Amino acid sequence: MSGVFLRTQTRSRTPSADTFVLTLWTNDPELARRADAAHVDRIGVDLERNGKAERQEGRGTWISPHCEEDLDVVGAALSHAELFARVNPMHPGSACEVERALARGARVLMLPMVESAEQARGFVEIVDGSATVVALVEPREGVARLPEIVAVDGVDEVHLGINDLALSMGVRNRWLALDGDLAIVAGRVVRAAGKRFGLGAVGRPGDRGLPVPVELVYAECARAGATAALLARSFFRDGLNGDLETAIARLRRELAACTKLDEAELAAAHRRLLRCAATAPSF
């Protein structure tokens, strides 16, 4: 990264091992400011474009309109949260893309569609210690190679992305990708390597308008040993009942409560999740 100006960001904080790390994607500086005040850990943009429209064609899934310049306006709104960016999967321009994100202040970088240790290692070499590296493992091939991926020095965290995982498995919605013990096994592998494990996205507490109840998703995070998740777009779907700080505080309480459930209770919640998933719409 020689010759690149890296903006000092002393206000960032590294989440402790027992913190459930919440990440928000937004290019709205006012929402970023509110989320920062509500103690969301990471706030930033989703820059992934390459191959996504073709991969998810006909699925009605969201493709981000964010751009690199949005890092400037979002970063200026933050006082506590770490500035975050999801970049494109590894490609010939990855080094330049990472360089630009770092120069705009990003301190956490997520690499999507990781399916091999070689990809993870190449990304780590590009970042060169300038940011926290989160490997977003989405293809089923990546899940099968998790032991090799987590062994890469410099991969700080691994996040299991269930949207593209479902696509690669050929199941009709994201929650069906969690059938069986896939998430449990993935979580064990990641945690055994001493790294944080993230799983999917979490919705707003008390939201009754989703095909899979939010409390079952929280329980699935606990069942898999996940201590990180994205804030789902549905979190802001129809406005917020009360302020964002109250909603985030309640979310953290409910996530923590799920870690107190015993194995039988978590297994029962998992079965309920799959029953709901079986009748949920496709993607």
Side-chain angles (χ1 to χ4, degrees), residues 167-241:
L167 286 172
S168 73
M169 294 172 66
V171 296
R172 65 183 185 81
N173 65 50
R174 60 183 66 86
W175 304 114
L176 291 174
L178 297 173
D179 197 2
D181 290 335
L182 183 148
I184 285 183
V185 172
R188 285 174 182 162
V189 170
V190 175
R191 295 195 315 277
K195 300 180 179 183
R196 188 182 298 277
F197 177 60
L199 179 64
V202 291
R204 188 174 76 235
D207 187 346
R208 298 301 172 204
L210 300 172
V212 175
V214 290
E215 62 269 19
L216 300 182
V217 178
Y218 304 163
E220 191 69 11
C221 287
R223 179 175 177 267
T227 54
L230 302 171
L231 288 177
R233 287 187 302 123
S234 65
F235 208 97
F236 308 93
R237 176 166 51 94
D238 49 7
L240 228 47
N241 296 321

Side-chain angles (χ1 to χ4, degrees), residues 103-258:
R104 291 182 182 277
R107 290 297 172 263
V108 183
L109 295 177
M110 174 180 276
L111 176 68
M113 298 300 291
V114 177
E115 59 181 40
S116 70
E118 289 73 23
Q119 289 176 344
R121 190 173 298 111
F123 190 70
V124 165
E125 290 173 358
I126 290 170
V127 175
D128 193 27
S130 296
T132 298
V133 170
V134 183
L136 178 58
V137 176
E138 299 173 277
R140 62 190 307 173
E141 295 83 0
V143 176
R145 296 171 185 145
L146 262 181
E148 292 81 17
I149 293 169
V150 298
V152 174
D153 188 26
V155 170
D156 299 297
E157 304 176 17
V158 172
H159 195 106
L160 189 64
I162 61 174
N163 217 347
D164 277 293
L165 177 59
L167 286 172
S168 73
M169 294 172 66
V171 296
R172 65 183 185 81
N173 65 50
R174 60 183 66 86
W175 304 114
L176 291 174
L178 297 173
D179 197 2
D181 290 335
L182 183 148
I184 285 183
V185 172
R188 285 174 182 162
V189 170
V190 175
R191 295 195 315 277
K195 300 180 179 183
R196 188 182 298 277
F197 177 60
L199 179 64
V202 291
R204 188 174 76 235
D207 187 346
R208 298 301 172 204
L210 300 172
V212 175
V214 290
E215 62 269 19
L216 300 182
V217 178
Y218 304 163
E220 191 69 11
C221 287
R223 179 175 177 267
T227 54
L230 302 171
L231 288 177
R233 287 187 302 123
S234 65
F235 208 97
F236 308 93
R237 176 166 51 94
D238 49 7
L240 228 47
N241 296 321
D243 63 84
L244 182 56
E245 187 167 357
T246 298
I248 294 295
R250 180 179 171 186
L251 171 61
R252 292 193 184 279
R253 289 195 301 272
E254 295 194 13
L255 286 166
C258 286

Side-chain angles (χ1 to χ4, degrees), residues 2-3 5 9 12 14 25 72 131 135 155 183 194 210 226 241 265 281 283:
S2 59
F5 171 71
Q9 196 178 34
S12 293
T14 301
W25 289 336
D72 296 335
V155 170
L210 300 172
N241 296 321
E265 291 170 316
F283 285 86

